[in-house]
């Protein structure tokens, strides 16, 4: 199916065109066109169901194969939809702190980041997972450093160091598996691993891969890079990464774990227990740190660590219901947290004390923040409630008592930090301040995410169907 290559190829080709021919506005429009084409092809892929494409006509396992199934197709759509919406909110006027030549480079690098993330999702070749991982990572380091404050350089450098360590672990793991099996095709590796005589090599490769993707996905305690990146990157970049970056790395971890190693291997080596403990620690630590923050973007960054814990907790069940709950969390968290970061990026001052009275100065932004925060908490009639309810059902059915207790404790902590966002918004301001006037390019993506949070809270059937398909595809 030729459309499988388009989500990768469109932004990849747009990047050099932007550098060669684009001024600031032309670069933005070229990037929008590339991501719109990638999004359109992602919709076709999702509607078509499972599909495979051998590049160059070389069949697997000799050639490079692109694969879309119930687990990867929704994530591919998510990457390109999030990329398009966040790019709409980042016209040249929003990057006024960058000189015009750097604005064009920013849009080119944004396209490369989207290309790399899409490539990770659709490739069936283990080595190309690493290649696309590095494409997206190198582009991400640069666009994070394009933040308006000097602290963005420090956050980008820290991400560069830790991201390079994570990428090295992934490469080592793939290399060890190639040594054990003589293959790089993931489906072929899955068939050869059980009959390989190099058990220690396989175990070491699995350890490197799981550790590398855990670092890339900011799984506790390997989360040190995430708060600084989310808090200091340009608003569109923070929203895009919050919606996609860690989610794609967790997808890769799940793909290698469930598809290549298999559930029996994961259970035999107690990977499920390790993931459950790490997920619970992330939920408690992230929620505790979130309500200690003084800036909205910092609070959202630390709460993301807790939300990633919910996702990993679902994966740790090693069941179809658990994977479905994790995928539902993934899709809902991307929608909600991306919208919250977009709304936070529109504020001139994101200190929590400055939120007081925002409902009078900019009712639209305050309403979007309120809807997103309540969905993050899991209030009924929002998408967040559906995600937590399905996860709770999966934990209850599996008898995961520890997960249930920690989920309840983390949710109680979330009440505190969500209250620090919502309550000041609708209080009377201490003094009369001018009304905010955000451009349409900022308001449109915020409206889409807020509407989605309410719509899927009332009518969750499409998301539930996608999550169930992901559970069947991976287990």
């Amino acid at each position: 199916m030729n459309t499988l290559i388009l989500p990768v190829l469109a932004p990849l080709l747009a990047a050099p065109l932007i550098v060669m021919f684009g001024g600031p506005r032309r670069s933005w429009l070229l990037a929008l066109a590339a991501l719109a084409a990638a999004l359109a092809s992602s919709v076709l892929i999702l509607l078509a169901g499972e599909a495979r494409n051998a590049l160059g006509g070389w069949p697997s396992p000799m050639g490079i194969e692109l694969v879309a199934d119930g687990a990867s197709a929704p994530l591919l759509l998510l990457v390109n939809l999030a990329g398009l919406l966040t790019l709409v909110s980042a016209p040249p006027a929003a990057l006024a702190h960058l000189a015009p030549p750097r604005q064009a480079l920013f849009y080119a690098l944004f396209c490369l980041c989207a290309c790399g993330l899409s490539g990770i999702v659709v490739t069936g070749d283990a080595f190309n997972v690493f290649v696309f991982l590095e494409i997206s990572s190198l582009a991400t380091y640069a666009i994070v450093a394009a933040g308006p404050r000097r602290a963005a350089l420090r956050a980008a450098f820290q991400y560069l160091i830790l991201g390079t360590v994570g990428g090295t672990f992934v490469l080592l793991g793939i290399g060890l598996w190639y040594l054990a099996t003589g293959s790089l095709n993931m489906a072929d590796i899955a068939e050869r691993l059980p009959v390989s005589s190099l058990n220690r090599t396989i175990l070491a490769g699995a350890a490197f891969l799981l550790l590398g993707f855990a670092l890339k996905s900011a799984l506790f305690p390997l989360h040190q890079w995430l708060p600084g990146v989310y808090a200091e990157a340009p608003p569109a970049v923070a929203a895009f990464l919050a919606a996609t970056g860690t989610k794609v790395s967790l997808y890769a971890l799940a793909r290698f774990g469930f598809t290549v190693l298999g559930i029996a291997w994961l259970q035999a080596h107690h990977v499920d227990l390790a993931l459950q403990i790490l997920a619970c620690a992330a939920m408690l630590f992230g929620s505790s740190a979130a309500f200690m923050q003084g800036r909205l973007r910092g609070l959202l960054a630390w709460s993301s660590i807790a939300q990633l814990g919910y996702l990993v907790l679902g994966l740790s069940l090693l069941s179809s219901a658990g994977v479905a709950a994790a995928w539902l969390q993934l899709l809902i968290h991307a929608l909600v947290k991306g919208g919250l970061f977009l709304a936070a990026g529109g504020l001139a001052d994101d200190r929590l004390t400055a939120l007081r009275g925002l409902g009078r100065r900019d009712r639209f932004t305050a309403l979007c923040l309120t809807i997103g925060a309540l969905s993050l908490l899991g209030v009924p009639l929002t998408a967040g409630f559906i995600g937590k309810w399905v996860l709770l059902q999966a934990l209850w059915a599996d008898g995961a008592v520890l997960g249930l207790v920690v989920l309840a404790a983390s949710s109680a902590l979330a009440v505190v930090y969500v209250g620090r966002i919502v309550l000041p918004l609708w209080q009377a301001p201490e003094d009369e301040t001018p009304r905010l006037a955000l451009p349409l390019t900022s308001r449109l993506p915020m409206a889409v995410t807020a509407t989605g949070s309410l719509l899927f809270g009332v009518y969750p059937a499409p998301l539930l169907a996608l999550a169930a398909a992901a559970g069947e595809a991976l287990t």
Side-chain angles (χ1 to χ4, degrees):
M1 186 176 181
N2 293 330
T3 51
L4 277 176
I5 192 64
L6 291 179
V8 180
L9 193 60
L12 180 63
L13 294 179
L17 291 177
I18 289 172
V19 173
M20 290 187 292
F21 304 114
R25 186 165 183 80
R26 193 181 300 116
S27 299
W28 180 52
L29 294 175
L30 281 171
L32 285 174
L35 288 175
L39 176 60
S41 59
S42 300
V43 172
L44 294 176
I45 291 168
L46 182 65
L47 294 176
E50 185 172 346
R52 295 178 180 273
N53 182 18
L55 295 182
W58 290 85
S60 62
M62 297 300 296
I64 297 173
E65 186 178 43
L66 302 181
V67 181
D69 59 13
S72 59
L75 201 58
L76 183 64
L77 178 65
L78 171 64
V79 167
N80 291 293
L81 177 59
L84 184 61
L85 287 177
T86 53
L87 198 57
V88 166
S89 71
L95 303 173
H97 61 283
L98 297 177
R102 292 186 178 182
Q103 289 181 356
L105 288 175
F106 174 89
Y107 294 124
L109 290 166
F110 194 97
C111 287
L112 286 178
C113 182
C115 163
L117 293 175
S118 294
I120 294 171
V121 172
V122 298
T123 185
D125 182 87
F127 181 71
N128 277 282
V129 170
F130 169 75
V131 172
F132 285 120
L133 183 68
E134 288 306 293
I135 290 173
S136 64
S137 296
L138 292 172
T140 302
Y141 306 147
I143 58 178
V144 167
R149 305 198 321 167
R150 184 174 291 272
L153 294 174
R154 181 173 64 250
F157 181 73
Q158 185 180 29
Y159 188 20
L160 168 66
I161 298 301
L162 294 177
T164 301
V165 173
T168 302
F169 285 163
V170 170
L171 181 60
L172 286 172
I174 293 171
L176 288 172
W177 278 5
Y178 180 72
L179 177 65
T181 64
S183 178
L184 290 172
N185 181 274
M186 285 191 277
D188 193 45
I189 293 174
E191 294 179 359
R192 298 189 185 198
L193 281 180
V195 297
S196 174
S197 60
L198 301 177
N199 292 330
R200 292 185 179 180
T201 303
I202 295 169
L203 182 62
F208 276 123
L209 279 166
L210 295 176
L211 187 60
F213 285 120
L215 201 159
K216 285 286 188 178
S217 58
L219 178 60
F220 180 88
L222 305 174
H223 63 279
Q224 291 87 349
W225 61 267
L226 186 144
V229 167
Y230 283 13
E232 301 299 340
V237 175
F240 181 56
L241 294 180
T244 62
T246 53
K247 313 301 187 301
V248 170
S249 294
L250 282 174
Y251 161 81
L253 187 151
R255 178 62 75 185
F256 277 104
F258 285 89
T259 303
V260 180
L261 291 171
I263 293 176
W265 190 96
L266 296 174
Q267 290 174 332
H269 293 83
H270 308 294
V271 176
D272 53 341
L273 179 60
L275 288 178
Q276 187 173 108
I277 292 173
L278 292 176
C280 291
M283 291 158 62
L284 291 175
F285 184 82
S287 296
S288 300
F291 73 77
M292 298 171 62
Q293 303 304 307
R295 291 179 58 198
L296 177 58
R297 290 180 65 178
L299 185 154
L300 296 176
W302 282 102
S303 73
S304 292
I305 295 170
Q307 300 296 319
L308 290 171
Y310 295 164
L311 201 161
V312 175
L313 184 60
L315 293 178
S316 72
L317 301 181
L318 303 185
S319 65
S320 179
V323 172
W327 243 242
L328 190 62
Q329 283 287 331
L330 184 154
L331 296 172
I332 292 173
H333 181 254
L335 173 72
V336 173
K337 192 55 70 73
L340 283 169
F341 271 106
L342 286 172
L347 303 176
D349 185 353
D350 75 332
R351 290 177 301 170
L352 294 178
T353 54
L355 295 179
R356 185 182 180 93
L358 182 64
R360 294 190 179 185
R361 302 195 305 274
D362 187 349
R363 193 175 299 275
F364 175 81
T365 300
L367 185 61
C368 289
L369 277 172
T370 301
I371 293 172
L374 294 179
S375 187
L376 193 68
L377 179 59
V379 172
L381 300 182
T382 65
F385 172 77
I386 303 300
K388 283 193 174 181
W389 178 251
V390 172
L391 177 60
L392 187 150
Q393 288 180 312
L395 293 170
W396 181 266
D398 196 76
V401 177
L402 175 63
L404 288 169
V405 172
V406 174
L407 178 63
S410 178
S411 298
L413 291 170
V415 173
V416 179
Y417 66 73
V418 167
R420 295 187 66 200
I421 300 173
V422 174
L423 295 179
L425 294 174
W426 305 104
Q427 293 175 350
E430 295 179 354
D431 51 18
E432 290 297 326
T433 53
R435 292 183 176 273
L436 298 179
L438 293 178
L440 180 62
T441 53
S442 296
R443 292 181 181 271
L444 180 60
M446 290 162 56
V448 171
T449 55
T451 303
S453 295
L454 294 176
L455 178 63
F456 290 124
V458 177
Y459 181 65
L463 290 185
L464 292 174
L466 292 176
E472 293 176 3
L474 288 179
T475 59

